[in-house]
Amino acid sequence: MKIIVKLDEVMAKRKIRLNELAAQVDITEANLSILKTGKAKAIRFSTLEALCLALNCQPGDLLEFDQSASE
Amino acid sequence: MKSIKTYARFLEICITIIMPIAALSFVLRWLLASSKLAYQFYQSHTGLFCSLYLAPKSLSEVPPLSLFFSAVVDAVSYILLFWAGILFIKLLRRYQRGELFSAYTLMLFKKISRIVFLWSLYTPIEHTLITLITTLHNPVGQRELSFALSSNDILHIFIAGFFLIMTSLMHEGYQLKHEHDLTV
């Protein structure tokens, strides 16, 4: 995967659990787990916005482009 | 979604009714094949009787072994259709449960389209084989080998082509569904 989701890192820094975040962002734990484990194919702007708001971070803190994987 | 479930239920009932009738019709046709009554009754059956004006006056003149092989050739087409029918019923049951674009329904659709395609190609060959088998016992000069492509055969090929295109569409739909499921 070229785009790496660093949700688990940010969650660890904020010391927030998956079920708490899911409740704050208003998406299911299963969907959040898909995102956290890097299985997600796409992310909606609305979800990203809600995550940034709940975790008090920037989209760049949650996503990273892996140059080596794309080559 | 509701209409798909309704149509699927309706189609399942229709196929469940038609399949035993077709099986019974096949068995009766070949059990009574040597009787003159059956000959008159099934005279319009193009595959079996298309060339009988040349050789035997009725199927009673055809040796039992030839009749048996003709029945086997005819059975192949029925087996293909029944196989497709059973798979179609399985597919329709999945649709009734609201499972439209899953890996299993895609696999069923692929199988059905391949079987229908095979059947559409087999049907004209079946006519040729049955004509050959039923006239093979005739004296030299009265044996026949014919190949005909009727409007029905062409229609079958169109239906098979339609199923193949539908399979590609289902594959696209499955991929979209998969992507949609993994969109957070």
Side-chain angles (χ1 to χ4, degrees), chain B residues 3-4 15 26 39 62 71 74 94 106 114-115 120 125 133 151:
Chain B
S3 63
I4 292 174
I15 294 169
F26 171 81
Y39 169 69
V62 177
D74 197 21
R94 294 276 169 163
L106 182 67
R114 281 175 194 161
I115 294 165
S120 73
I125 299 166
I133 292 167
S151 57

Side-chain angles (χ1 to χ4, degrees), chain B:
Chain B
M1 179 63 108
K2 198 184 168 188
S3 63
I4 292 174
K5 285 183 180 178
T6 313
Y7 290 141
R9 179 84 190 121
F10 175 72
L11 267 176
E12 191 197 336
I13 293 167
C14 288
I15 294 169
T16 313
I17 293 168
I18 290 168
M19 275 174 59
I21 294 171
L24 191 69
S25 145
F26 171 81
V27 172
L28 282 178
R29 182 186 331 149
W30 287 104
L31 280 178
L32 303 171
S34 55
S35 73
K36 283 183 181 174
L37 183 74
Y39 169 69
Q40 284 164 1
F41 187 71
Y42 293 113
Q43 208 165 18
S44 59
H45 189 271
T46 51
L48 188 56
F49 299 104
C50 59
S51 62
L52 289 183
Y53 61 90
L54 263 180
K57 291 286 178 286
S58 80
L59 275 180
S60 56
E61 293 175 21
V62 177
L65 196 66
S66 299
L67 274 181
F68 172 74
F69 283 120
S70 301
V72 170
V73 169
D74 197 21
V76 173
S77 123
Y78 272 81
I79 288 167
L80 286 173
L81 271 182
F82 280 5
W83 188 11
I86 289 164
L87 293 177
F88 199 48
I89 286 174
K90 281 185 184 176
L91 183 72
L92 292 170
R93 282 182 185 159
R94 294 276 169 163
Y95 283 173
Q96 285 173 60
R97 277 186 239 156
E99 192 184 319
L100 298 181
F101 297 104
S102 68
Y104 187 69
T105 55
L106 182 67
M107 184 268 290
L108 284 175
F109 223 97
K110 272 183 188 169
K111 273 189 181 176
I112 292 167
S113 64
R114 281 175 194 161
I115 294 165
V116 171
F117 186 67
L118 202 66
W119 171 73
S120 73
L121 295 181
Y122 179 74
T123 316
I125 299 166
E126 179 196 355
H127 296 174
T128 306
L129 286 174
I130 291 179
T131 310
L132 180 69
I133 292 167
T134 49
T135 57
L136 204 61
H137 66 284
N138 290 349
V140 178
Q142 288 184 2
R143 292 168 192 165
E144 199 180 334
L145 182 67
S146 72
F147 182 81
L149 207 60
S150 68
S151 57
N152 268 353
D153 297 328
I154 293 165
L155 182 70
H156 296 160
I157 292 167
F158 276 126
I159 291 169
F162 176 74
F163 260 97
L164 286 173
I165 289 169
M166 281 297 289
T167 306
S168 305
L169 285 174
M170 287 292 291
H171 187 70
E172 287 292 319
Y174 169 69
Q175 282 182 332
L176 283 172
K177 169 88 168 46
H178 184 63
E179 205 163 291
H180 181 262
D181 287 345
L182 291 176
T183 299
V184 181

